[in-house]
Structure formats: C-alpha cells, structure tokens
Amino acid sequence: MRKEYKQMMDQLSPREELVEQVLAQAGAHAEQKQNRRRPMHKKKLILALAAALVVLTGSAMAVGSQLGLLNVFFQGDTSGLEPYVQTDLGSAENEDFRFTVNSAYYDGMTVYATVTVEGLNEQAVEDLKSSRSDAEFHRELWGDALADNMLEKGISGPDTIVCNGGEVTEAAGYEYTGGSMGGKDLPGTETSRSRTVEVGFDRWLGPVGTPLELWVGFMGREYSVKIPLDTVVDSAHLETDQEFLFNPITDQRAILTEVTLTPTQLCYEIETVGKMKQETGWDAMNGRFVLKMKDGSLITSEQLDIIGDTHYDWENNRFSFQEKIESVEFSDVGEVESIIFGDTVFPLDGSEPSLAEEDERLYPFYVPKYRYGWFYTDVEALCRGLGAEYAWDADTQTATATYRDVTIQMTVGSSQVLVNGEPMELTGSVWNEEIQDGVETPLPIRMENGALIAPTYLFSNGRTTGGVWGIGIGQLSLDGGSTKDPNRLVVLP
C-alpha cells in the first residue's frame, strides 16, 4: 500500500517531503488495509491524499486541476486513454469569479470533467466558500428549504453547474428526451472550490460538431466554457437483429438491435420477444454481459465495476442499457473479440453470432439470504454455484474458499479473514436505535443451521472494501415489482 501511495503522489507531483509527511501520517492505517482489492479504494485514497496536500501545503494550487482526470472517475490502467483527455479548455470570469474547466474526457455518451470556481476578491471568496452566492441563486429556483440547507452545510446544489446537453443532443440529430448531470466536490484552496462534472446523454452520440457548454449557475451562461465533442475515444459499433436468450431465469428472449463499446462505456438496445416477463428475477440480467478478449480471457460486467441506467419503453417492448465502466481493463477496443449477451456470442468484427460455450455463459443463480445488520450468505452454496473450491476444517471451524486465484480463510466467530494470506477486517455501519445513527460494527463469520455464512460484501462489488472475487450479489426482485425476495439473493458471476 505504501507503493500505491507513492504512485498516487507521483500523479499529484508534490515535493518529496510532502509525500513522506502524508505517508507517515497514514502509514499504519494503510498497511492494515493493504490487501483490500476493491478498485474503488484507490479513488478514495486519491481524493483523501489530495485533501491532505491542501492541508499540508496551504497553497493556492487548484487540486481539482492537478489530479489526473481519469483517476478521479475510473480505476485501472487508464494511461492509454490520456490522448483523449482535453486540457487548456479555458476560463471565463466576471468582476467577482473565475470559472475554469480544467480538463475533460468524452467517450461518445458521457462527458467527464473537473472544474474550478475561484473568488477574485475578499467578498467573493467568502460568498463562494460559504456557498452564499450559490445558495441565493438556488433560492430563486428551488425555494428556501434547499437554499438554507446549502448554507448550513456549505454544499453545492443541483444547478451549481449547468450545461446545454439538450442542444448537443438535437445538434447530433436526435430528439432530446432527457439526460443526466452530476458531480462531487473535490478539495479546493483558500480562494477556490473544485468539483467533478459528469454529463450523460440519453443515447450514444459519438462525435458531435456542437460543443458542450458548462457554466456556473449563479454566474450565468454568458460566462460559459466550451468543451469540443469532436474528440472521442475509439469505439466498436454493431447493428444486428439477432435473437438470443436474454434472461435464463425467466427464459425471456430478445433481439439485440444495437450495441456500442468503448473502454469506459457500453450501451445496447434490445427488443423483447413478446412482452417482458414480469416474473421473479425479471431484471437480474439488465446491463449484464461478458467481454471475450482476443487473448481468450473473459471479463464480466461485474469485474468492470459497471454502473448502469436502464430506459424502459414498455409499450414497444424496447429497452436500452447504458453501462459506465468504472474499472478500465483495456484502452483499445481492438483487444475485444466479442461480447456475450445471455447465451449468444456477438463478434465485434460483424461476423455471424453464435451460441456461447457453456463456461462462457456465466448465468446467475440463487443463494440463501440472511441479515445481521448486513446481508450474509451461505459460503458453501456460493462456491458451489461459482464452481469455486471449498474446504471445511471442523477442528478449527475454518472454511477455505478459492475463486479466480483469490483464497479466503474464514473462521467462525472472527470478524477477521485472510485474503491470500493477508488479514482483512469485516466491519459495517449498523443502525443503532438508541443513538439513531449508524455505528461501525464488526461483522463476524457465523454458523446458521450448520452452514457457514459471511457478509456478502466480502465477495461482491459494492463497497470501497471487499469485493475480492469481483462478482455481484444483489437482492432479487419479485414478480416484476420492487418487492424483494426475503429468503434469497441473486449472484452474478
């Protein structure tokens, strides 16, 4: 972990003595967590280190602009995407504030950027850092409750940063039916505030001649900064009318009509054969796929740490899935041979689809569900479904399980497990009725009716720690609704 800290510090390029100060302050805590494999953990560390640098330096450096843009939004090796990151995008200012777009990356469907707002005089700095200017602007749009909350907590609002996403969509030749826009605060300086901005279009656009404009709500559009959208990362695109087994749980079949893949995004559309079956597990395969690489390896959607959005057109039986890939596993789509949806392989060279081999389908399955503050499941049942190795030592009350070259040793009654020989503490925030708040609590391995059970987050993506097997374990939707199965969870290998 100390090596990981060094690498992140190199990206921030501080003086060597500052690196040592941060390492010295965080070293003991970091070494306890050195085998927490969850990729998101690196992102959290980067932001924490950036905050530490502001404290240690007290400089006017805009940390949001110095932090590697790709490292803020993604994990994995993003070096191959650096040529697609735009910098020197410019700034706009009035007598009180300067707005700068530090850098941006566009993958054909989403724009990722970091921005900085700087106060240019003493009063402007005070209004900026206290959120006063932003809150009063929001008061006119959203009312007193939101504005007062922004002032109390010093936070941003839904219209802190605004864009012309609708104009861009229409310029690309599509009707604007909505989109998404979000962001998070980054460490700022004594005179500035920085944040991420993520603008998602409602469909794949690709290169667009009309730039995306960003501006600060309380400054107005006359002080916008433009991000050209003619620079877009390479992609692979297929248009097909091939029928396939979309959901093996419900036997739902569908026709894949269109799919586009980039290193950071996959979006595709299907048309179901008949109405979407509203049965238990009906949504389990939404946004799920497997990439078959040219070297023969398989990468699942869970390993890519996808964050998805689904658009439902129930009347016309058409459904579109937009999946952000947070863990970058390749920089060149040419490394991908095909995409497996359900039971069918779709080659990216446009050749005929074919049925996937049995070991390529990676179908979902059920495991028992228990609740002890957090969800637990039967480890042996999980291993049986995954085809993982499992061994039980009755003398020591210890189970050993291995999957994807990751071995976990779990002892009944202990909240510490060994992951490839390294200790990892299992804890989670559990609601405390007395204080009406969550309390970080040990989550020990347990026995339940003769079965060894463990917190699902140990195996499954979804937290900044754990997820050591890179699989998904989620709640199971019943009969087409939002009601969850009280006794079972669904596993997505």
Side-chain angles (χ1 to χ4, degrees):
M1 182 60 74
R2 291 179 66 86
K3 179 181 178 182
E4 190 174 6
Y5 267 73
K6 286 279 192 180
Q7 291 172 340
M8 286 181 283
M9 284 300 185
D10 289 342
Q11 294 166 354
L12 291 169
S13 301
R15 298 192 311 274
E16 183 64 26
E17 59 268 27
L18 295 180
V19 176
E20 295 306 321
Q21 286 183 54
V22 174
L23 288 173
Q25 291 177 12
H29 180 63
E31 288 184 0
Q32 292 175 357
K33 300 184 179 180
Q34 61 184 336
N35 206 62
R36 296 190 176 185
R37 293 161 50 93
R38 180 83 164 105
M40 185 73 79
H41 192 45
K42 179 177 179 182
K43 182 193 296 184
K44 300 287 187 180
L45 287 172
I46 291 173
L47 297 180
L49 287 168
L53 282 175
V54 173
V55 174
L56 290 169
T57 62
S59 72
M61 176 182 73
V63 176
S65 64
Q66 297 299 318
L67 228 97
L69 174 79
L70 296 172
N71 284 331
V72 172
F73 288 100
F74 307 101
Q75 304 87 47
D77 182 5
T78 59
S79 58
L81 302 180
E82 287 293 344
Y84 301 99
V85 176
Q86 301 181 65
T87 57
D88 301 321
L89 291 165
S91 61
E93 64 182 80
N94 57 25
E95 65 275 13
D96 294 317
F97 302 100
R98 177 184 298 119
F99 173 59
T100 303
V101 177
N102 306 310
S103 55
Y105 163 76
Y106 174 52
D107 65 6
M109 190 167 179
T110 304
V111 177
Y112 305 91
T114 58
V115 302
T116 298
V117 184
E118 184 180 1
L120 301 181
N121 55 62
E122 189 173 322
Q123 184 61 54
V125 169
E126 181 181 336
D127 290 345
L128 176 68
K129 301 297 281 187
S130 67
S131 295
R132 185 180 298 116
S133 295
D134 201 7
E136 294 309 318
F137 169 73
H138 278 80
R139 193 182 301 279
E140 298 179 13
L141 298 174
W142 294 86
D144 293 338
L146 175 63
D148 291 343
N149 187 54
M150 290 173 64
L151 284 171
E152 179 185 350
K153 298 180 179 178
I155 58 176
S156 303
D159 289 301
T160 296
I161 304 296
V162 191
C163 75
N164 65 330
E167 294 175 4
V168 171
T169 301
E170 292 172 357
Y174 302 102
E175 179 185 1
Y176 180 67
T177 57
S180 63
M181 186 171 184
K184 297 179 180 179
D185 287 335
L186 291 170
T189 69
E190 293 180 356
T191 61
S192 70
R193 298 183 70 160
S194 295
R195 65 183 285 108
T196 65
V197 176
E198 189 170 331
V199 179
F201 300 108
D202 61 348
R203 60 169 298 125
W204 170 263
L205 298 183
V208 182
T210 298
L212 179 73
E213 293 182 47
L214 297 180
W215 63 92
V216 180
F218 63 79
M219 290 180 67
R221 187 171 182 175
E222 60 267 35
Y223 300 103
S224 67
V225 176
K226 296 180 179 180
I227 302 174
L229 299 183
D230 52 2
T231 299
V232 58
V233 69
D234 290 340
S235 63
H237 184 78
L238 284 178
E239 293 185 11
T240 176
D241 288 314
Q242 176 67 39
E243 183 178 323
F244 69 105
L245 178 61
F246 170 68
N247 189 332
I249 295 177
T250 63
D251 289 326
Q252 176 70 62
R253 299 191 66 82
I255 297 170
L256 181 69
T257 58
E258 187 175 359
V259 58
T260 302
L261 173 70
T262 80
T264 54
Q265 191 101 223
L266 183 139
C267 55
Y268 64 101
E269 297 181 0
I270 65 168
E271 182 178 335
T272 58
V273 177
K275 292 294 183 181
M276 178 74 83
K277 296 179 181 180
Q278 301 288 284
E279 302 171 6
T280 296
W282 68 277
D283 58 350
M285 293 298 288
N286 287 1
R288 306 300 165 182
F289 57 91
V290 178
L291 300 183
K292 186 173 183 178
M293 310 302 287
K294 289 183 176 177
D295 64 6
S297 62
L298 301 178
I299 303 177
T300 70
S301 51
E302 294 300 321
Q303 290 173 300
L304 294 170
D305 203 12
I306 61 167
I307 295 179
D309 187 21
T310 304
H311 296 269
Y312 299 96
D313 182 353
W314 295 98
E315 183 177 349
N316 296 303
N317 302 326
R318 299 184 68 88
F319 306 88
S320 62
F321 305 92
Q322 303 165 1
E323 310 301 322
K324 175 188 174 183
I325 296 173
E326 287 219 323
S327 183
V328 176
E329 296 290 338
F330 57 92
S331 298
D332 180 1
V333 293
E335 299 175 44
V336 184
E337 179 179 286
S338 55
I339 305 176
I340 302 170
F341 292 106
D343 68 344
T344 302
V345 178
F346 294 86
L348 290 185
D349 63 6
S351 56
E352 281 297 312
S354 61
L355 285 176
E357 298 292 335
E358 191 69 32
D359 61 352
E360 295 176 337
R361 299 183 185 184
L362 301 178
Y363 287 167
F365 60 92
Y366 302 144
V367 290
K369 173 182 179 180
Y370 305 94
R371 185 70 183 261
Y372 287 97
W374 285 71
F375 290 129
Y376 278 64
T377 196
D378 182 327
V379 177
E380 185 173 8
L382 175 64
C383 290
R384 189 164 53 247
L386 293 170
E389 297 177 16
Y390 179 85
W392 168 249
D393 186 329
D395 292 336
T396 62
Q397 294 285 285
T398 298
T400 301
T402 302
Y403 184 64
R404 291 176 177 163
D405 297 323
V406 178
T407 297
I408 310 172
Q409 291 175 276
M410 298 155 281
T411 300
V412 175
S414 175
S415 59
Q416 183 182 89
V417 299
L418 296 181
V419 180
N420 284 344
E422 297 293 335
M424 175 181 168
E425 292 291 336
L426 301 178
T427 65
S429 180
V430 177
W431 183 255
N432 184 297
E433 286 290 344
E434 184 175 341
I435 65 173
Q436 290 292 294
D437 200 359
V439 176
E440 196 70 14
T441 305
L443 302 175
I445 304 299
R446 298 173 177 270
M447 290 296 290
E448 184 81 18
N449 297 325
L452 181 137
I453 65 173
T456 58
Y457 90 78
L458 170 60
F459 317 98
S460 170
N461 294 341
R463 278 188 49 170
T464 57
T465 58
V468 299
W469 281 354
I471 61 176
I473 305 178
Q475 296 204 69
L476 184 62
S477 298
L478 293 175
D479 301 328
S482 58
T483 303
K484 304 303 180 185
D485 190 315
N487 302 313
R488 297 179 298 175
L489 298 167
V490 62
V491 179
L492 300 162

